[in-house]
Amino acid sequence: MQPRPEQRSTSEETWPNVVGEARTVAEALPDLLVEARHIANTVAAGWHGRRRAGPGETFWQFRPFNLGEPVKRIDWRRSARDDHLFVREREWEAAHTVWLWSDLTTSMTFRSRLAGATKRDRALVLLLGLSELLARGGERIGLTGLTRPTSNRNAAERIAATLAHASQPISLPDTHGIGRFSEVVLIGDLLDPIEEIADWVRRVAATGARGHLVQIMDPVEETFPFAGRTEFRDPETGLRLTAGRAETWREIYQKRLAQHRLEINELTRKAGWTFLIHHTDRPASEPLLSLHGRLADSAEGVPRGAAAAMGGA
C-alpha cells in the first residue's frame, strides 16, 4: 500500500516521535538486563575455554608424552590403559581485558513498526548480554572512559548501574585507559561522519588494542520505504527536511549508506578489526553469538600488526 500524501515521518502512523515517547535509560535497564541474561543463556554456558593448552583447571585433551618432558606430567591412569605414555593437558584460561561501549545518543531511540526494539535498547541488550558472558569466564570488563576493568560475576549489574547514572551520552567514547592487547567493542548505528569514526579507530588502534564494531540499524533505515510528501527530522539537532516525493531520494540515500558502510569496513579491515551489521527486526542472539566467537578468536592470538600500522596512519 502506498503511503498517503502529506505523510510525515514523525507522525504516529509512520515514524513515531521516539524522542518524546522513549523511556529513559535508567527506566529501561532493569528489563533489558533480564532480557540480556536470557539471551546470554541461549548463546553459551561459559567463556573460559580457549581451545589451546596452557594454565587452567579444565581438562582439554590427552596427548603422547614427549621424550625430555618432566615425568611428573605423565597421567599414569590413562597411560596404564595403553602401551604409550600420555600427558593430560588443560585449556588455557588466562583472563584478558574487554572494553565495552554502547551509543545511547538520541538517534539510537528510533524504532519503526518493523522492529522489535529501539536501536538503543537492542544495543544495551547486546552490551549487557556480552558482559554476562564475559563475567562468567572471569574476564576483565570495563566501560570505555567510565569505569576501570574488573573481573566480577556481577559485572552486568555494575555496568547497568553505571549507565543509569551516566551523564550526556556520546557515540564515540573516550579512549583513555585502553591498553595493548585488550579488546574494544563499540555498539551503535555508526552514522557519525566517517572522519570522526576514522579518527577514533586510529586512536584506539594506536594503543595496540583490537576493535569490534557493531552497527545497529532499523530495517527501514536500509530500505527507505517512504513515498510522497514526507518530513524527516534529525532527532539530535531538530533539523527538519521535507521531501515532495520521498521515493525519488531512495536510490541516492541507499548509495550514500552503502558508501559510508564500505568506508567503515575498509577502516576496520586495515586495522585488523571486525565489523558486524545487525538489524533490529532480527533476534539479538545472532550478533551476540557472532561477537562471542570473534572475541574467542582474538583470545587465540589474532595478528595485530595491522592495528599497529593503523596507529601511524
Side-chain angles (χ1 to χ4, degrees):
M1 182 177 66
Q2 288 292 327
R4 293 176 298 177
E6 298 297 322
Q7 175 186 16
R8 288 179 176 267
S9 59
T10 54
S11 69
E12 291 184 0
E13 287 85 3
T14 58
W15 193 291
N17 184 355
V18 294
V19 177
E21 296 177 358
R23 297 169 295 175
T24 65
V25 172
E27 292 172 336
L29 279 167
D31 291 340
L32 296 179
L33 183 57
V34 172
E35 181 181 353
R37 281 181 168 160
H38 174 72
I39 294 172
N41 287 334
T42 68
V43 171
W47 177 258
H48 275 82
R50 297 288 187 259
R51 307 314 301 165
R52 59 170 160 161
E57 298 180 357
T58 305
F59 169 74
W60 180 23
Q61 66 178 5
F62 288 111
R63 65 166 176 79
F65 173 74
N66 295 317
L67 189 64
E69 288 188 88
V71 176
K72 64 180 181 180
R73 293 184 180 177
I74 297 175
D75 187 286
W76 294 107
R77 179 174 296 181
R78 172 63 182 85
S79 301
R81 302 200 306 266
D82 207 308
D83 295 332
H84 303 282
L85 298 177
F86 288 91
V87 172
R88 174 189 291 267
E89 285 191 335
R90 297 179 175 86
E91 284 191 82
W92 180 59
E93 297 177 351
H96 69 298
T97 299
V98 181
W99 294 96
L100 306 175
W101 187 259
S102 174
D103 179 1
L104 302 181
T105 56
T106 307
S107 69
M108 291 289 290
T109 61
F110 174 67
R111 172 186 175 182
S112 73
R113 283 185 169 185
L114 301 179
T118 65
K119 296 189 292 182
R120 183 205 66 184
D121 284 2
R122 180 54 55 83
L124 282 171
V125 165
L126 293 181
L127 181 141
L128 295 173
L130 189 57
S131 300
E132 184 76 10
L133 289 173
L134 293 168
R136 293 178 186 180
E139 308 296 354
R140 302 174 69 243
I141 313 165
L143 278 176
T144 311
L146 286 182
T147 67
R148 297 180 62 183
T150 182
S151 178
N152 190 293
R153 293 285 293 182
N154 297 321
E157 289 95 330
R158 293 190 175 192
I159 285 177
T162 300
L163 290 173
H165 297 90
S167 57
Q168 185 69 23
I170 56 176
S171 57
L172 301 173
D174 185 3
T175 59
H176 178 73
I178 298 176
R180 191 181 182 192
F181 301 130
S182 59
E183 307 289 327
V184 182
V185 178
L186 173 64
I187 307 171
D189 57 21
L190 301 179
L191 296 178
D192 306 82
I194 193 62
E195 296 80 9
E196 295 180 12
I197 297 175
D199 178 65
W200 185 84
V201 169
R202 292 190 183 99
R203 285 187 284 119
V204 175
T207 68
R210 187 166 186 262
H212 308 270
L213 304 188
V214 183
Q215 185 177 47
I216 306 293
M217 297 288 284
D218 189 279
V220 305
E221 292 177 309
E222 293 280 355
T223 60
F224 198 84
F226 310 106
R229 184 177 177 83
T230 306
E231 181 181 86
F232 301 96
R233 183 174 66 84
D234 185 331
E236 300 196 3
T237 66
L239 179 66
R240 296 175 182 271
L241 184 63
T242 302
R245 296 178 58 199
E247 65 273 19
T248 63
W249 292 13
R250 186 174 301 125
E251 183 177 357
I252 297 175
Y253 167 84
Q254 291 177 334
K255 285 183 177 179
R256 291 191 62 179
L257 177 61
Q259 180 61 32
H260 183 76
R261 187 171 287 161
L262 182 65
E263 292 175 348
I264 295 176
N265 190 61
E266 184 65 10
L267 283 171
T268 55
R269 185 191 66 79
K270 288 183 178 179
W273 292 15
T274 70
F275 178 43
L276 174 67
I277 301 170
H278 172 64
H279 299 106
T280 50
D281 60 339
R282 299 294 302 168
S285 57
E286 293 179 352
L288 187 58
L289 179 62
S290 182
L291 278 172
H292 183 278
R294 294 178 185 196
L295 285 167
D297 289 342
S298 297
E300 287 282 0
V302 175
R304 299 170 186 268
M310 188 68 176

